[in-house]
């Protein structure tokens, strides 16, 4: 029987190795984000990603939708549904850029501004609590590692796309 399997049976944590252990923790983070996001939907009326958009637009009124997508490191089409839902909920206003009618400028409505406040029980509240208790050098290191993981995943995704074309 493998050590990982034996450890799990004996009640000891399994010995996964650095890579699998790091992936396991990232999976836990993803699951916790999704879980908290669903609770935020029922408690606040918005998901975690929707609230992040509200908070960012609150800091950058009249931000072009494309710039918001760049800031969030997502494709604009990924953000389209989030923006449409927030507009439909009356939290976000989208208007044409007077200098370039093809660009949409985003701003908060009065209702959106009421949501753009620090709130207990949100994803950013939990993350903020951890950040305030964590030494700066550890935060910098964590950000560097996570950014490197994102770059590696994007590189791998690009290689996969290129090989299938």
């Amino acid at each position: 029987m493998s050590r990982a399997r034996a450890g799990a049976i004996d009640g000891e944590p399994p010995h996964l190795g650095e890579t699998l252990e790091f992936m396991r923790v990232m999976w836990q983070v993803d699951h916790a984000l999704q879980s908290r996001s669903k609770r935020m939907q029922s408690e606040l009326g918005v998901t975690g990603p929707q609230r992040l958009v509200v908070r960012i637009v609150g800091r950058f009124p009249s931000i072009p939708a494309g710039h918001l997508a760049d800031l969030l490191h997502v494709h604009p089409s990924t953000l389209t549904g989030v923006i449409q839902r927030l507009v439909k909920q009356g939290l976000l206003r989208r208007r044409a850029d007077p200098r370039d009618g093809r660009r949409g400028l985003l701003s908060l409505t009065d209702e959106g501004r009421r949501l753009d406040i620090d709130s207990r029980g949100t994803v950013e509240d939990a993350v903020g609590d951890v950040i305030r208790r964590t030494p700066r050098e550890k935060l910098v290191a964590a950000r560097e590692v996570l950014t490197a993981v994102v770059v590696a995943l994007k590189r791998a995704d690009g290689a996969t796309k290129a090989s299938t074309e």
Side-chain angles (χ1 to χ4, degrees):
M1 187 176 311
S2 73
R3 285 182 64 183
R5 186 79 178 126
I9 290 173
D10 296 340
E12 296 175 21
H15 303 283
L16 298 176
E18 291 294 326
T19 300
L20 293 180
E21 181 59 25
F22 196 85
M23 289 175 61
R24 185 188 68 77
V25 171
M26 286 194 314
W27 198 290
Q28 282 182 298
V29 169
D30 180 61
H31 178 74
L33 284 167
Q34 296 297 328
S35 179
R36 184 66 239 160
S37 181
K38 287 178 185 176
R39 276 189 246 119
M40 285 174 57
Q41 173 72 53
S42 64
E43 295 167 3
L44 299 174
V46 292
T47 64
Q50 290 169 344
R51 182 168 164 82
L52 180 59
V53 167
V54 166
R55 298 302 309 263
I56 291 172
V57 171
R59 281 167 177 69
F60 301 102
S62 296
I63 187 171
H67 290 173
L68 179 61
D70 290 344
L71 186 62
L72 293 170
H73 300 282
V74 298
H75 191 275
S77 65
T78 302
L79 199 54
T80 298
V82 173
I83 291 170
Q84 287 174 340
R85 284 186 287 282
L86 291 171
V87 168
K88 187 175 180 180
Q89 288 177 264
L91 300 171
L92 211 60
R93 180 180 304 110
R94 183 184 183 129
R95 63 180 173 84
D97 184 336
R99 291 172 285 156
D100 182 352
R102 297 169 296 172
R103 288 178 20 162
L105 302 179
L106 304 171
S107 57
L108 297 180
T109 63
D110 289 342
E111 189 67 27
R113 279 190 288 284
R114 283 191 277 280
L115 187 64
D116 183 25
I117 59 169
D118 291 336
S119 297
R120 299 294 303 160
T122 60
V123 170
E124 77 264 17
D125 177 48
V127 172
D129 283 347
V130 171
I131 286 173
R132 285 186 290 280
R133 291 179 290 158
T134 303
R136 176 141 176 73
E137 62 276 4
K138 286 188 175 187
L139 291 173
V140 169
R143 190 176 297 120
E144 287 173 354
V145 169
L146 292 172
T147 299
V149 169
V150 169
V151 168
L153 289 170
K154 285 183 176 181
R155 189 178 319 117
D157 190 40
T160 302
K161 285 181 185 176
S163 69
T164 60
E165 293 176 353

